[in-house]
Amino acid sequence: MTATLTKWYEEHGRHEIFAGGKKVELDSSAHSLKLNEEAVRAGAQTDLDDLGIAKNAREEKLAARKHKTAEELAQEAAHNAEMAKLYAQHVLKEQPTLQIQGLGGRRGAGAPGSARTKQDVQPVLHKPVV
């Protein structure tokens, strides 16, 4: 069986307290905290939950996220992607990926993935070097 903290304190006393590398002397470990008996009996406060009011910053952010438009969500996603790119570049020291665009050549028979015929293929002519 493991001892509870209260039982351990009864048997061994409280441990020393240090702050800033120096021992802090306490005259007494007794406290003067007085609880409001009515508040203790009332139980958990649920009126804010019933009204849908956020109690902390996390709940505020979650509520704000629910009311965003599709455009705001797209802007946020683009911003997050840009921040991830900058993080990878500056913190992780990764080199940015280069995007290579085609030259915009003809489409159709000569395009990649299309079948070529003998008429489409031009012979390569070499000029004699003098």
Side-chain angles (χ1 to χ4, degrees), residues 26-123:
L26 295 177
D27 297 335
S28 170
S29 62
H31 63 81
S32 60
L33 178 66
K34 296 190 193 250
L35 298 176
N36 181 339
E37 195 65 36
E38 183 181 328
V40 171
R41 290 178 207 256
Q45 180 183 357
T46 60
D47 59 337
L48 295 177
D49 294 330
D50 297 340
L51 296 171
I53 298 172
K55 296 183 296 264
N56 54 42
R58 180 179 183 277
E59 289 181 6
E60 287 177 352
K61 286 180 183 179
L62 290 174
R65 188 175 296 157
K66 288 180 184 177
H67 300 293
K68 287 187 179 179
T69 64
E71 182 180 320
E72 290 172 330
L73 291 172
Q75 286 176 347
E76 185 177 349
H79 175 74
N80 289 343
E82 181 66 22
M83 291 298 110
K85 179 180 163 187
L86 290 173
Y87 176 82
Q89 184 178 354
H90 293 285
V91 176
L92 302 178
K93 305 293 185 202
E94 293 177 359
Q95 296 299 321
T97 306
L98 297 176
Q99 296 290 333
I100 300 175
Q101 296 181 355
L103 298 175
R106 68 183 177 145
R107 304 234 181 234
S114 64
R116 291 184 175 202
T117 62
K118 282 189 174 184
Q119 292 96 11
D120 294 333
V121 178
Q122 303 257 340

Side-chain angles (χ1 to χ4, degrees), residues 14-31:
R14 294 193 175 255
H15 60 80
E16 297 176 329
I17 299 173
F18 292 90
K22 297 178 183 177
K23 186 175 177 182
V24 177
E25 295 290 338
L26 295 177
D27 297 335
S28 170
S29 62
H31 63 81

Side-chain angles (χ1 to χ4, degrees), residues 1-12:
M1 180 175 156
T2 58
T4 63
L5 187 60
T6 306
K7 189 171 183 176
W8 194 90
Y9 283 157
E10 288 173 3
E11 293 174 7
H12 303 285

